[in-house]
Amino acid sequence: MLGWALTFLVIALIAAALGFGGIAGTAAGIAKILFVVFIVLFIVAMIARAVKGKPPL
């Protein structure tokens, strides 16, 4: 999921550099959403692993 977020970030940067503001804004918004979802799932996975008694990483 982090890979998808980075992909959309790169698309947004390229689109912004070429002057496509609408596409850049949309891609940046998608990248932000995917990054937040990634962080939430990562934290949930670390908590679940800690509850099982294993070290976080």
Side-chain angles (χ1 to χ4, degrees):
M1 188 164 301
L2 186 58
W4 280 100
L6 292 174
T7 301
F8 276 104
L9 178 64
V10 170
I11 290 171
L13 291 173
I14 292 171
L18 295 175
F20 298 107
I23 296 171
T26 302
I30 292 171
K32 286 179 190 178
I33 292 169
L34 287 174
F35 184 72
V36 169
V37 170
F38 167 76
I39 293 296
V40 169
L41 290 176
F42 179 75
I43 291 171
V44 168
M46 291 296 108
I47 291 171
R49 189 171 171 98
V51 168
K52 288 183 178 180
K54 297 179 182 178
L57 289 175

